[in-house]
Amino acid sequence: MSKFCKIFRIIFVVQLLTDVSLTVRYDPNWKSLDSRPLPDWYDDAKLGIFIHWGVFSVPSFSSEWFWYDWKQRGLPGIIDFMQKNYPPDFTYPDFAPEFKAEFYSPIEWASLFKQAGAKYVVLTSKHHEGFTNWPSKYSFNWNANDTGPNRDLVGDLADAVRDYSLKFGLYHSMFEWFNPLYKSDAANGFKTQNFVKSKTMPELYEIVQKYKPEVVWSDGDGDAPAEYWTSQEFLAWLYNDSPVKDTVVVNDRWGKNISCHHGGFFTCADRYNPGKLQTHKWENAMTIDHYSWGYRRNAPLNNYLTIEELLKTFITTVSCGGNMLMNVGPTSYGRIVPIMEERLKQMGEWLGVNGEAIYGTRPWSHQNDTVTKDVWYTKKKSSTGYTVYAILLQWPKAGTLTLGAPQTTTATVVSLLGYQGNFNWSKGPTGGIEIKFPLIGWNMMPCKWAWVLKLDGISN
């Protein structure tokens, strides 16, 4: 065989393999769907912004479960609130005209999320109340275009977020608390699918085709099995034929007993943060408000996480292989309140110095240190192998920091992100490393909270 023929054959085989990889199709079953690789952008991103916004933002009392807690659970605090502030015949849908979003500026929001260091944004397209934040063909008169804001809240934010080079995603609740079709299907033991066929699935196909979200964050799967929701069929279409088939990521809330077992990334439970390395990519969906995802007018300052608490949650999440989806709850008039704005900007300030230790990193062999508490690790590929990052939640009180996990070599170099120069170090008496911290003036400190040591030339 001539040299030309050999080269041609190699090119042909490579092209054939490429064509095969591009035509991989997924079947509507969990074995096939779970075999789809997670797009790299998601694991690299690390931080997303979650937004809970809807009619519940009008009463802005108790939580986003206001309607259910009022009418189904009959919580005394909500009943008392309604009796004191609204007439006896007032219904939950009466709140909708007051959901005006008159100060809503998608550009301002997108700019703030960019400043926060987030790489993707996930907006509630519809919560369990059933109100859609887009002009859905399947939610007549109970959507943001027909009542309240009289605009497409989803589409406006999608455009703004992408203008800031962020990924756009949508949360969607599968069930609705008081929808008669859902209640009828539930009463039938989910043997009928009238709600799924006329509401849930048409909405999901609609938002994917119209807004092309690169995150589809499902919720509200309730006690119904995935077969009732036809989740596998939807995901097969999403992965095979949708306009975002090559880049979309999904979570794991697609039916009873599916969470933490099937889907794209796992969420397992709200505020999931296991504190140890997981074998599957996961996400910590959490909120700045300790007690609510939606905005609460009566929330005191101590109900909000401090920046130190947020950073600890974020750092431990990333070290153990997760992403963090940090929630804010805007007001009914479309503003992100100052305390939440401040937290977002503080997060961005920290990432501006220390993002190298976060974005694009992967878990190291150790997640936290074996000797010193509140030290968490990440790693990233470098020209010589790997760089290890030791993230300190506390500044060393003495001039020396002892770390047990890193194993040094003669090529080991230690530096502090945001600070010029290298730190002196010595090998620990029983292994590990002892790092000498120079005296650094307060005005020379690279950041206010959580400091990152960059360790090059580590053998493990």
Side-chain angles (χ1 to χ4, degrees):
M1 183 184 292
S2 68
K3 183 177 181 181
F4 175 79
C5 290
K6 288 181 179 180
I7 293 173
F8 179 80
R9 186 176 181 181
I10 291 171
I11 293 173
F12 176 77
V13 170
V14 169
Q15 183 63 48
L16 181 63
L17 292 173
T18 301
D19 290 343
V20 169
S21 68
L22 291 175
T23 57
V24 170
R25 293 186 65 82
Y26 299 94
D27 298 323
N29 61 70
W30 291 121
K31 182 179 180 180
S32 178
L33 296 170
D34 290 346
S35 71
R36 177 181 182 260
L38 197 70
D40 288 339
W41 76 259
Y42 179 79
D43 201 6
D44 291 340
K46 306 305 182 190
L47 180 64
I49 303 296
F50 214 176
I51 309 165
H52 274 66
W53 201 29
V55 174
F56 52 80
S57 305
V58 177
S60 49
F61 181 82
S62 182
S63 80
E64 69 287 348
W65 281 63
F66 182 93
W67 192 7
Y68 187 85
D69 289 342
W70 174 25
K71 291 300 182 181
Q72 187 68 29
R73 292 175 178 160
L75 295 187
I78 295 179
I79 292 173
D80 181 65
F81 171 80
M82 292 303 299
Q83 289 176 343
K84 287 181 177 178
N85 296 285
Y86 296 92
D89 60 347
F90 196 91
T91 67
Y92 187 80
D94 291 331
F95 283 121
E98 297 306 311
F99 180 35
K100 296 180 179 178
E102 62 265 40
F103 296 121
Y104 174 43
S105 172
I107 293 175
E108 287 186 14
W109 284 21
S111 174
L112 176 60
F113 302 152
K114 184 76 170 182
Q115 292 177 61
K119 299 299 183 182
Y120 60 104
V121 176
V122 179
L123 171 68
T124 46
S125 66
K126 183 193 76 172
H127 201 255
H128 312 322
E129 64 189 11
F131 186 90
T132 65
N133 281 331
W134 81 99
S136 176
K137 295 182 291 186
Y138 307 98
S139 189
F140 176 72
N141 207 39
W142 192 231
N143 66 74
N145 197 58
D146 289 342
T147 187
N150 300 126
R151 62 188 290 189
D152 183 354
L153 303 178
V154 171
D156 291 346
L157 187 62
D159 292 341
V161 161
R162 289 174 175 134
D163 284 345
Y164 278 85
S165 300
L166 303 177
K167 301 283 188 180
F168 181 70
L170 287 172
Y171 164 108
H172 178 269
S173 174
M174 299 182 84
F175 87 137
E176 297 173 12
W177 291 313
F178 302 114
N179 190 297
L181 292 176
Y182 176 75
K183 294 174 73 174
S184 174
D185 284 350
N188 293 330
F190 300 113
K191 301 300 183 184
T192 56
Q193 294 177 302
N194 295 318
F195 177 71
V196 174
K197 292 178 180 178
S198 64
K199 194 71 164 63
T200 296
M201 279 301 151
E203 286 178 345
L204 274 170
Y205 284 100
E206 184 179 42
I207 59 175
V208 170
Q209 290 170 328
K210 187 170 184 177
Y211 302 110
K212 301 175 178 58
E214 291 181 275
V215 181
V216 177
W217 215 101
S218 179
D219 194 22
D221 46 350
D223 294 325
E227 289 73 22
Y228 165 75
W229 296 116
T230 64
S231 297
Q232 295 102 313
E233 288 77 9
F234 169 74
L235 291 174
W237 170 82
L238 188 68
Y239 294 167
N240 292 328
D241 301 310
S242 79
V244 288
K245 60 185 177 65
D246 296 324
T247 58
V248 70
V249 297
V250 303
N251 65 338
D252 56 350
R253 302 184 184 188
W254 296 100
K256 186 178 181 180
N257 298 325
I258 297 302
S259 180
C260 224
H261 294 93
H262 299 291
F265 57 87
F266 290 171
T267 62
C268 301
D270 292 348
R271 302 176 179 87
Y272 180 66
N273 192 6
K276 59 183 181 180
L277 184 63
Q278 301 298 292
T279 58
H280 190 95
K281 183 63 186 181
W282 59 282
E283 182 177 79
N284 179 359
M286 49 76 65
T287 185
I288 295 174
D289 182 336
H290 276 288
Y291 304 108
S292 177
W293 298 80
Y295 171 63
R296 295 185 300 142
R297 287 179 287 169
N298 61 327
L301 181 62
N302 63 9
N303 281 187
Y304 293 100
L305 294 177
T306 64
I307 184 58
E308 291 86 357
E309 291 171 321
L310 275 174
L311 283 172
K312 181 176 182 178
T313 301
F314 182 45
I315 291 161
T316 56
T317 295
V318 173
S319 179
C320 295
N323 281 18
M324 189 170 86
L325 188 61
M326 181 170 57
N327 179 76
V328 296
T331 67
S332 63
Y333 46 89
R335 300 296 296 176
I336 295 173
V337 293
I339 186 66
M340 293 188 182
E341 179 183 355
E342 180 182 59
R343 292 292 178 270
L344 294 181
K345 289 183 176 179
Q346 288 171 328
M347 183 67 76
E349 180 183 339
W350 186 83
L351 282 166
V353 175
N354 301 294
E356 178 184 335
I358 299 294
Y359 303 123
T361 61
R362 298 294 182 265
W364 189 42
S365 57
H366 295 73
Q367 278 60 67
N368 52 346
D369 194 60
T370 56
V371 173
T372 301
K373 63 178 294 187
D374 289 333
V375 176
W376 295 81
Y377 293 102
T378 62
K379 73 174 183 181
K380 184 181 288 184
K381 285 184 178 180
S382 68
S383 58
T384 57
Y386 284 97
T387 295
V388 174
Y389 300 93
I391 309 176
L392 288 57
L393 299 181
Q394 303 291 333
W395 186 260
K397 293 182 179 179
T400 301
L401 174 69
T402 301
L403 299 178
Q407 299 301 310
T408 62
T409 68
T410 56
T412 297
V413 176
V414 180
S415 57
L416 181 69
L417 292 188
Y419 183 79
Q420 291 188 343
N422 298 327
F423 285 11
N424 293 325
W425 62 271
S426 59
K427 187 174 181 178
T430 58
I433 185 172
E434 293 186 348
I435 302 169
K436 308 294 183 181
F437 276 65
L439 293 175
I440 303 175
W442 65 269
N443 59 332
M444 297 295 291
M445 291 290 284
C447 56
K448 302 173 186 175
W449 331 270
W451 301 267
V452 179
L453 290 172
K454 182 177 181 178
L455 310 176
D456 285 309
I458 298 298
S459 67
N460 59 331

